[in-house]
Amino acid sequence: MVTVSELIKTESNKPELFQAGSSACAGCASILALRWALKALGPKTVVIAPASCANVYIGIWPKASSAVPYINMAFAAGASAASGVVAGYEALGKKDINVLTWAGDGGTVDIGIQALSGAIERSTNFIYACYDNEGYMNTGTQRSSSTPKHTKTTTTPFGKGMHKKDIAQIVAAHDIPYVATCVATDPQEIYNIFSEAKQIQGSKFIHILSPCAPGWRFAASKTTELGDLAVKTGFFLLWKQVNGELIVHKRTQKYLDKKKRLPIEAYLSEQGRFGDLNQEQIQDLQNWVDRRCEKLARQL
Amino acid sequence: MSKIKKSEMDKEQTIIMSGNYASAWGAKCSRVKAISAYPITPQTTVVEKLADFVDGGELDARYVKVESEHSVMASLVGSSMTGARSFTATSGQGLLYMTEMLHWVSSSRLPIVTTIASRGIAPPWNIWAEYTDILSIRDCGWIIQFASTHQEIFDSVLMSYKIAENQGVMLPYFIVYGGFTQSHTSKPVRIPPQKEIDAFLPPPPEKGWSHLNLDPENPVTFGNLLMPQQEYLDFRFLIHDSMVKSKKIIQKTIKEFKKSFKRDYSGLAENYKCNDADVVLISYGALAEQSKIAVDELRKEGKKVGLFKLRYIRPFPNEELVKLFNSDVKVIGIADQGTAFGNPTGGPISTEVMSLLRQSNRKIKVLPYVWGLGGRDVTVDEQIRVFHQLIQLKNKNEYPTDDTFQHGTVWMGLKTGA
């Protein structure tokens, strides 16, 4: 695990792989995560980006902010196109190139889940990262199956009726060698996780909660705060499963204790998308958090 | 390294094989590097045979056995972007399922080759020869060639990579043949010595395709959003432009193939006894090959009939057709083994052929046909009757009067009231 001071020392003199020219929204956490993921993976990396914000924020043609090969890909094809890239490199004897699929939650939990499941089943040697901003933000904030319950989106104007799909657990059930969860607002953790994933042969899946200022309706200056609150309230659980072994992050371990955990309202009240929730709805989300924390605690 | 037997390197072999095996052998002898496939009747034995080749060490390639046809084509987009020669085969529903990625391939200008064992589209389920699968995606920027014999399936795979990978073309390529009638019947196929195939079809450039090569040493960003006033329209034009210009490369490749292997595939279309004919049938696929027998029978009776077999529909053989219109021909029948519901004739290719008639000043009568849908038999006798209908039209200006003549098109064998 790299410390912040080590990180500054090792990374500050290296060329930036995610450069100026991006057209991301103010306060975008996803580009922060991609920038630090690329620092960890290094220049011998290719990125496959299925339809998502990442197709737009990479730059409007002919601008491009990526200094590694970056391929815009069809929505459902993030994992399948990456499988082909891996196969092509293997067939041509090209080694030591990291293949990274960088997908949103729609491209992962909805339209891309079949291709993702297939690629993992085939032990494709690649990293699949899902930056999860909990909805179709690029198309104007429609609900996805990763949108939390009671969220107001443009297709759930009175709130979504069901809970968020747990994609990391679904992937973990594939007996994949590496799954990890993290928040996009923690560069050090992103760096550590991608550095670790890079060393492992086979399929790696990284689930990144990515606060989205326009979609979640909070001030762009509050991005990192939101990422932090997601962890402190237990809304987003930090854990990894490495070769079948579950390791819960020490921050989440602390917040599994209900007494130490912040009430969910601390997280919800910061976001316009949870505006006007009644006490019953807030309690419903609190119960969901509590249930998930208890379940994870039992697995320790 | 693949273990190609010394005998295969040096000697020609003749093997009795199915049309599907001819496709798989074509891929093997083209030394494809990446295969991705999903099984669908009647394509299945292509991908089974390829698995034998790869797992048995006879073909040095990566074979990605994916979970859907969408993933097949997405996977090949990925492998082709690394510069690996990439191949797949599919049929019917599978082809339709990969439609989005077909456009992705052509718009990325990737020289992927796919063979199609064509079948009817469901519902109701139908697995037999009919070309509505390929015809319904005919405008997605792929070269489309019909192969009407087993030998032609094999030979076409070799030629297809040479055409598709040509710097002036850089477009994907479909080779199409009928389900079961061709995919599952067996005929002798001559496999040239691998040494000669390698000389005819060298491997792709080591540094990958010049316009798009996924190489961290030379990073490119591909496919970024662009605004309406930027070059989107211009990129689209270049696809059409390359498709039209590919005709020359196709003709050149056919000539080179003839020089290397002594088999002649005539060009974008085959003119069979049309030069002095006043009645000509235009068709494609194996049924067109069979029409030659009907032509020969009628020629014995002194009837001046001919067959014009379309080998390619993308690019479309405009020049060849206009030349035909400017010959002595007075009546043309155009037979589609596929549908285009609600278009001017009900058959996609008959409408396209008719759109070219204005390029000739001659007055030619036309009768469109739809035949053989869902594998419905079309016998030589029935083809002879088609010619008789066309002769009747020429001699007496009489169109058919029975119930099969509907909205200006003959739907051969139509059971009205069904």
Side-chain angles (χ1 to χ4, degrees):
Chain A
M1 295 296 118
V2 176
T3 64
V4 173
S5 56
E6 281 167 351
L7 206 51
I8 291 166
K9 213 168 133 190
T10 53
E11 287 302 322
S12 52
N13 294 323
K14 288 189 193 164
E16 186 67 59
L17 297 175
F18 189 89
Q19 297 176 336
S22 153
S23 48
C25 307
C28 178
S30 176
I31 54 162
L32 185 66
L34 178 56
R35 184 176 166 212
W36 285 87
L38 290 178
K39 280 182 189 290
L41 297 178
K44 286 195 90 174
T45 299
V46 300
V47 182
I48 307 295
S52 73
C53 302
N55 287 185
V56 179
Y57 67 51
I58 199 64
I60 308 292
W61 193 84
K63 285 185 198 162
S65 49
S66 175
V68 297
Y70 189 102
I71 303 299
N72 289 278
M73 189 41 61
F75 219 158
S80 43
S83 298
V85 172
V86 170
Y89 284 148
E90 285 172 354
L92 299 172
K94 293 183 183 171
K95 294 193 177 99
D96 307 322
I97 302 172
N98 303 304
V99 177
L100 168 68
T101 299
W102 186 259
D105 51 295
T108 304
V109 299
D110 288 339
I111 197 169
I113 195 168
Q114 174 181 317
L116 170 63
S117 176
I120 296 169
E121 183 266 339
R122 295 188 300 273
S123 301
T124 308
N125 187 26
F126 80 135
I127 301 172
Y128 189 109
C130 167
Y131 74 88
D132 182 2
N133 55 22
E134 303 190 318
Y136 292 91
M137 301 321 189
N138 191 38
T139 46
T141 323
Q142 294 83 21
R143 64 87 88 184
S144 78
S145 61
S146 203
T147 303
K149 196 172 178 183
H150 304 305
T151 304
K152 289 176 187 67
T153 70
T154 52
T155 51
T156 54
F158 300 101
K160 191 190 173 205
M162 55 292 290
H163 287 296
K164 179 181 171 70
K165 202 188 265 188
D166 192 340
I167 189 64
Q169 287 291 350
I170 292 169
V171 170
H174 285 68
D175 199 18
I176 183 174
Y178 189 85
V179 188
T181 69
C182 53
V183 285
T185 49
D186 186 345
Q188 184 194 358
E189 190 63 15
I190 296 274
Y191 187 90
N192 281 328
I193 283 177
F194 278 84
S195 299
E196 189 175 27
K198 178 182 161 177
Q199 305 299 330
I200 293 170
Q201 178 71 24
S203 305
K204 285 79 65 177
F205 182 83
I206 300 165
H207 184 203
I208 307 165
L209 184 73
S210 185
C212 169
W216 296 9
R217 286 186 274 148
F218 60 79
S221 57
K222 292 207 163 187
T223 299
T224 48
E225 207 173 299
L226 258 297
D228 209 36
L229 280 169
V231 176
K232 286 180 175 162
T233 56
F235 175 84
F236 195 75
L237 302 170
L238 304 178
W239 55 274
K240 61 186 178 182
Q241 181 184 292
V242 185
N243 294 318
E245 190 197 347
L246 174 72
I247 302 156
V248 177
H249 194 283
K250 57 181 190 308
R251 290 188 72 201
T252 284
Q253 274 194 35
K254 175 181 166 191
Y255 300 120
L256 289 183
D257 180 351
K258 187 161 177 150
K259 291 192 284 289
K260 291 182 183 152
R261 196 153 72 226
L262 294 181
I264 190 67
E265 207 170 354
Y267 179 62
L268 305 178
S269 61
E270 293 293 327
Q271 305 172 54
R273 63 174 176 159
F274 293 115
D276 306 324
L277 292 195
N278 60 34
Q279 273 313 309
E280 208 178 313
Q281 289 167 324
I282 293 167
Q283 192 55 48
D284 189 22
L285 286 167
Q286 185 64 61
N287 292 346
W288 178 77
V289 167
D290 293 350
R291 201 168 64 235
R292 283 165 52 83
C293 288
E294 283 161 24
K295 189 181 169 194
L296 192 59
R298 281 198 302 274
Q299 286 173 271
L300 279 174
Chain B
M1 209 35 219
S2 56
K3 293 172 275 178
I4 293 189
K5 296 173 201 124
K6 193 168 182 315
S7 58
E8 287 188 6
M9 282 303 290
D10 297 330
K11 276 192 198 134
E12 180 179 275
Q13 337 168 56
T14 300
I15 305 172
I16 294 173
M17 64 172 79
S18 67
N20 277 349
Y21 275 24
S23 159
W25 270 91
K28 171 185 180 286
C29 292
S30 300
R31 294 187 188 263
V32 301
K33 281 285 177 189
I35 299 162
S36 182
Y38 186 78
I40 180 168
T41 305
Q43 150 265 37
T44 38
T45 52
V46 182
V47 300
E48 289 169 2
K49 188 67 185 165
L50 284 169
D52 281 349
F53 285 146
V54 174
D55 290 6
E58 287 180 72
L59 174 59
D60 181 25
R62 298 294 301 183
Y63 190 161
V64 190
K65 291 151 198 169
V66 293
E67 77 304 320
S68 78
E69 284 91 354
H70 193 280
S71 290
V72 166
M73 207 40 83
S75 167
L76 293 188
V77 165
S79 58
S80 185
M81 279 183 179
T82 70
R85 188 172 278 163
S86 301
F87 180 86
T88 191
T90 191
S91 297
Q93 311 300 128
L95 181 65
L96 300 185
Y97 197 46
M98 59 173 71
T99 306
E100 181 194 23
M101 298 317 295
L102 298 178
H103 285 268
W104 215 277
V105 172
S106 55
S107 297
S108 307
R109 308 298 298 266
L110 295 171
I112 294 167
V113 172
T114 300
T115 64
I116 310 290
S118 273
R119 68 180 243 190
I121 300 301
W125 285 118
N126 187 289
I127 54 173
W128 295 278
E130 182 195 317
Y131 296 111
T132 302
D133 50 6
I134 191 76
L135 293 169
S136 66
I137 53 93
R138 66 192 179 280
D139 295 323
C140 68
W142 285 56
I143 292 173
I144 301 175
Q145 184 220 315
F146 292 94
S148 47
T149 69
H150 290 47
Q151 185 70 55
E152 192 178 0
I153 294 169
F154 172 82
D155 291 345
S156 296
V157 180
L158 308 186
M159 282 185 271
S160 65
Y161 280 111
K162 205 174 169 71
I163 295 162
E165 291 171 4
N166 186 292
Q167 197 57 48
V169 179
M170 290 309 287
L171 288 170
Y173 198 117
F174 281 125
I175 297 159
V176 188
Y177 53 90
F180 290 102
T181 50
Q182 288 176 276
S183 65
H184 284 63
T185 53
S186 290
K187 295 258 176 123
V189 174
R190 290 165 66 183
I191 310 287
Q194 186 65 45
K195 216 162 56 180
E196 288 177 23
I197 296 171
D198 292 345
F200 174 77
L201 179 67
E206 251 180 57
K207 288 189 167 175
W209 320 121
S210 62
H211 71 293
L212 174 56
N213 177 29
L214 219 43
D215 177 12
E217 301 291 322
N218 180 27
V220 290
T221 300
F222 184 78
N224 283 26
L225 182 72
L226 43 66
M227 291 300 174
Q229 301 316 317
Q230 292 181 304
E231 284 73 6
Y232 183 85
L233 181 148
D234 314 79
F235 288 147
R236 300 287 107 177
F237 167 72
L238 288 175
I239 295 172
H240 179 66
D241 188 52
S242 302
M243 181 73 87
V244 173
K245 288 177 178 164
S246 74
K247 291 178 185 183
K248 283 212 169 82
I249 308 295
I250 290 168
Q251 281 150 348
K252 186 169 161 264
T253 306
I254 289 171
K255 279 197 190 112
E256 282 175 35
F257 187 86
K258 186 186 172 190
K259 210 174 146 201
S260 299
F261 304 112
K262 314 287 177 285
R263 284 189 288 278
D264 188 4
Y265 286 103
S266 58
L268 275 89
E270 183 184 348
N271 169 336
Y272 188 76
K273 302 187 180 174
C274 295
N275 290 348
D276 66 336
D278 45 30
V279 167
V280 167
L281 179 67
I282 299 174
S283 189
Y284 49 84
L287 283 179
E289 192 64 23
Q290 182 184 270
S291 301
K292 290 178 182 172
I293 305 169
V295 168
D296 290 345
E297 291 294 316
L298 289 158
R299 283 271 169 181
K300 278 184 210 157
E301 298 169 19
K303 304 278 196 294
K304 280 158 66 175
V305 297
L307 167 78
F308 197 82
K309 186 174 90 174
L310 303 175
R311 292 191 66 244
Y312 286 80
I313 57 163
R314 292 292 181 274
F316 206 67
N318 299 19
E319 294 79 8
E320 292 82 350
L321 280 162
V322 172
K323 201 174 154 197
L324 171 75
F325 301 155
N326 288 334
S327 69
D328 293 337
V329 67
K330 294 183 177 66
V331 168
I332 285 173
I334 311 156
D336 265 301
Q337 195 172 2
T339 48
F341 304 126
N343 91 341
T345 59
I349 302 306
S350 55
T351 292
E352 293 195 353
V353 171
M354 287 165 79
S355 76
L356 285 172
L357 278 171
R358 277 293 298 272
Q359 293 192 24
S360 165
N361 292 324
R362 294 186 62 248
K363 256 197 138 172
I364 297 165
K365 291 198 183 79
V366 177
L367 185 51
Y369 285 80
V370 172
W371 69 9
L373 296 189
R376 179 84 67 91
D377 273 345
V378 177
T379 63
V380 174
D381 283 347
E382 283 167 319
Q383 290 185 329
I384 289 172
R385 280 204 290 280
V386 165
F387 278 107
H388 281 303
Q389 281 180 323
L390 297 173
I391 292 166
Q392 183 86 344
L393 180 57
K394 176 181 73 91
N395 291 343
K396 301 186 174 170
N397 195 26
E398 281 174 12
Y399 285 86
T401 51
D402 63 14
D403 283 348
T404 64
F405 188 57
Q406 298 279 349
H407 315 297
T409 296
V410 177
W411 290 67
M412 227 177 80
L414 180 71
K415 299 168 187 172
T416 46

